[in-house]
Amino acid sequence: MLYGGLLVLAGGMLIGLVNFLVREGLYSSISTAVAVRPVSGVPAPAASSSPAPAYPGPLHPSDQVRSRSIETFTQAAEQAAQNRLLTVSLIALGVFAVISVALAWWMAGRVLRPVGVITHTARRLSGENLHERIALDAPAGELKQLADTFDDMLDRMEQLVGAQKRFAANAAHELRTPLAIQRAAAEIGLDTGDPAAVARIRRKLIEVADDSERLIEGLLLLSVSDQGLERREPVDLAALARTVATECGASKDARARDITVRARTAPLSVDGDPVLLAHLVRNLVSNAVRHNHDSGHVQVDVHDRTLTVTNTGPHVPPETVPYLFEPFRRLRERLSGPGEGAGLGLSIVASIARAHGARTEAEANPRGGLTVHVTFGAYP
């Protein structure tokens, strides 16, 4: 209706302009035509052999009759022409209005059809059919871009929902495993009078409790980092990386397996939460030590606003690297062994990096191991 109304308004303005312009020059045009071409019933001017007087004087009676006749005829012709033009214009405007509304209705429906498709798809989507897409088949334009953007948003939503479902399932599995171990140890292992067996089961229960505590702490840290930063302050990332590298290099695990941790840093200060940034660096270096082989090494570099941690270790298939940043994802299946970790290290690193506007990337080393880059200032 809006398009049709605009077209009718434009047609009305055009017709009004035409009538105005024709009315302005119609009288002079008719009078000139009548003066040049004699009209039936109007007497012709009297012939005279004498030259016209050099001064104005009274008109000849026949000229006066002719002038009055021409004026009367011109006025009548002007009125008739204006009435005829107005009638034809109104009829044309009416026909034009009907055609304009019909064409506007058809064009609006054709142009806005993709909006209807998008609306219908949005109403029909739920958690069970997020895989559906609009896939609009239309020429390039604003609505095509809108439909493609909506499809891209659905891709991201499907990935997020899938990640949340996997997180819930993996979290339930991770929390159920230590509970099952504790229950079995309490029901079977403690049903004995052997002090050595009781002491062994006691140590096992303490280990399981420690693993559960670390898992819960990791989940809490992941939740806190996903909520963003509440405060920011300058943090010397280079000094933090050197401190963490020294601590991890002197840890019991690194010394027992003869793993060398080296740091090479350039001055770098970033705005962020010092506690979360310490967790980020510590998780990276601890993972590099844990997932290493005996007599391996870990290299910690800080340069060009990028923190890089490289470690030797087992071969990592390149296609599995992106999935290592998901919670509870491991390179190998869980064995429930000591020092195995909860599988939250890299996911916590990625979450803390996002909270600080940093980009996290990883790549598999050709000779084994992994290289992780955390670039600060990559996002606003």
Side-chain angles (χ1 to χ4, degrees):
M1 296 303 296
L2 178 61
Y3 292 163
L6 291 176
L7 288 175
V8 172
L9 178 61
M13 293 174 62
L14 177 62
I15 289 177
L17 178 63
V18 170
N19 278 265
F20 173 76
L21 295 177
V22 169
R23 185 182 298 111
E24 288 297 317
L26 184 60
Y27 182 86
S28 59
S29 298
I30 294 176
S31 60
T32 301
V34 171
V36 173
R37 184 176 180 179
V39 181
S40 176
V42 178
S48 177
S49 57
S50 61
Y55 57 89
L59 295 175
H60 194 274
S62 61
D63 292 337
Q64 294 178 357
V65 173
R66 177 177 173 82
S67 177
R68 286 195 298 269
S69 300
I70 291 176
E71 182 179 359
T72 303
F73 177 81
T74 301
Q75 291 177 351
E78 179 188 17
Q79 187 65 34
Q82 289 181 358
N83 293 336
R84 178 65 176 173
L85 178 61
L86 181 61
T87 302
V88 173
S89 299
L90 292 177
I91 295 175
L93 180 61
V95 176
F96 178 75
V98 174
I99 296 176
S100 298
V101 172
L103 288 176
W105 187 272
W106 173 79
M107 180 58 68
R110 182 179 179 85
V111 171
L112 296 179
R113 180 184 62 83
V115 178
V117 174
I118 295 173
T119 303
H120 178 70
T121 303
R123 289 176 177 174
R124 189 165 39 86
L125 287 177
S126 65
E128 303 300 327
N129 58 351
L130 276 178
H131 62 279
E132 297 186 11
R133 298 294 181 269
I134 298 175
L136 184 64
D137 185 12
E142 288 80 1
L143 293 178
K144 173 66 173 175
Q145 294 178 359
L146 176 62
D148 293 343
T149 303
F150 193 81
D151 287 341
D152 294 339
M153 181 188 68
L154 290 178
D155 290 337
R156 294 191 296 270
M157 290 179 59
E158 184 179 13
Q159 293 176 1
L160 291 175
V161 171
Q164 289 181 350
K165 290 182 178 179
R166 290 192 300 270
F167 177 83
N170 292 330
H173 176 72
E174 294 289 338
L175 292 172
R176 185 176 57 184
T177 299
L179 293 177
I181 295 175
Q182 289 176 348
R183 183 179 181 87
E187 291 181 349
I188 301 175
L190 295 180
D191 189 16
T192 178
D194 186 3
V198 173
R200 185 170 61 254
I201 296 302
R202 176 177 176 274
R203 288 193 300 271
K204 182 63 177 178
L205 289 175
I206 293 175
E207 291 178 0
V208 173
D210 291 339
D211 290 341
S212 300
E213 184 178 1
R214 284 192 294 268
L215 174 60
I216 294 173
E217 289 178 353
L219 291 174
L220 291 175
L221 179 61
L222 185 61
S223 175
V224 170
S225 59
D226 283 338
Q227 294 176 4
L229 301 181
E230 295 183 356
R231 63 189 181 93
R232 288 178 179 268
E233 62 182 70
V235 178
D236 189 347
L237 190 64
L240 180 60
R242 291 193 300 268
T243 302
V244 172
T246 302
E247 293 176 355
C248 292
S251 65
K252 181 179 178 181
D253 187 21
R255 287 188 286 105
R257 298 167 58 194
D258 192 24
I259 296 177
T260 303
V261 181
R262 294 188 296 266
R264 183 176 52 197
T265 63
L268 176 60
S269 178
V270 297
D271 289 334
D273 190 318
V275 177
L276 291 179
L277 288 175
H279 279 291
L280 181 147
V281 180
R282 187 169 290 107
N283 279 359
L284 280 178
V285 181
S286 298
N287 276 354
V289 172
R290 181 182 298 113
H291 302 288
N292 214 319
H293 54 64
D294 294 344
S295 301
H297 67 269
V298 177
Q299 181 67 44
V300 181
D301 295 329
V302 176
H303 59 89
D304 296 334
R305 302 194 65 80
T306 301
L307 169 67
T308 303
V309 178
T310 305
N311 68 286
T312 55
H315 175 70
V316 180
E319 62 274 9
T320 64
V321 172
Y323 300 103
L324 296 178
F325 288 95
E326 295 186 6
F328 306 110
R329 282 296 188 108
R330 299 179 177 86
L331 185 60
R332 298 180 178 84
E333 294 296 330
R334 178 169 181 173
L335 302 175
S336 298
E340 186 180 18
L344 294 174
L346 290 182
S347 60
I348 292 175
V349 168
S351 178
I352 296 176
R354 285 194 301 269
H356 287 80
R359 182 179 64 248
T360 307
E361 297 175 331
E363 57 187 11
N365 299 327
R367 296 184 179 181
L370 197 67
T371 298
V372 181
H373 305 277
V374 181
T375 303
F376 291 87
Y379 305 109

